[in-house]
Amino acid sequence: MDFYYPNRLNDFWFMMGLIFFGDRKMLLDESGCNFDVEAIKRLLNEKGIALNDTARAVRRLKGNASDKYLDIVEPVPLYDLLAEMPECHAVASTGEKAASVIAGITDTVIPKMGEMVVSDKGLEIWRMPSTSRAYPLKLEKKAEYYSCMFHHLGII
């Protein structure tokens, strides 16, 4: 899948299926083996959710997907992106590394898990749990964190 969180070992789309449809498998295709990117895009568009990486350029310091060994060479130009989405008033990061990058860009402290801080520009900065299965939190608990944020933001 040429989209965000394509690996079935990541809980993101399972979590989104659970939150929005009550079924963790809802965003899988008919075969049940892959995510349905068109269904995912429909959900995101319907709910007004945008996805983006926190970096434009990265260097992997080891040959694995762990953020622990990720060097951010060039962070995303967050405020340029937000200028194209004037209705956007919140940014959520999935995991500690992403939260650290966003905090650096917005000159805020890193929020506690499941909480947010407000930048001096009025932007809500949320830190959510990583959806990686390497992160030791059950899918249902991750969904609780995200559901609370979505409720606060009026998405659900």
Side-chain angles (χ1 to χ4, degrees), residues 58-149:
V58 299
R59 182 178 17 249
R60 292 252 174 229
L61 302 177
K62 291 200 174 193
N64 63 36
S66 173
D67 287 353
K68 180 178 180 181
Y69 303 110
L70 189 68
D71 178 33
I72 305 299
V73 176
E74 180 186 349
V76 69
L78 180 63
Y79 289 113
D80 291 347
L81 291 175
L82 292 172
E84 296 178 32
M85 300 178 287
E87 301 86 25
C88 182
H89 61 276
V91 171
S93 59
T94 57
E96 187 174 1
K97 184 71 163 196
S100 173
V101 172
I102 296 299
I105 294 169
T106 59
D107 197 29
T108 57
V109 298
I110 299 172
K112 293 180 182 177
M113 183 74 65
E115 296 183 6
M116 61 102 171
V117 296
V118 179
S119 76
D120 61 359
K121 296 182 185 217
L123 184 66
E124 291 183 11
I125 311 295
W126 290 81
R127 177 181 171 197
M128 306 312 292
S130 171
T131 55
S132 167
R133 294 226 183 123
Y135 187 72
L137 196 61
K138 289 187 176 195
L139 173 67
E140 294 77 13
K141 188 64 178 171
K142 291 175 187 179
E144 284 180 33
Y145 278 105
Y146 283 79
S147 289
C148 287
M149 176 189 65

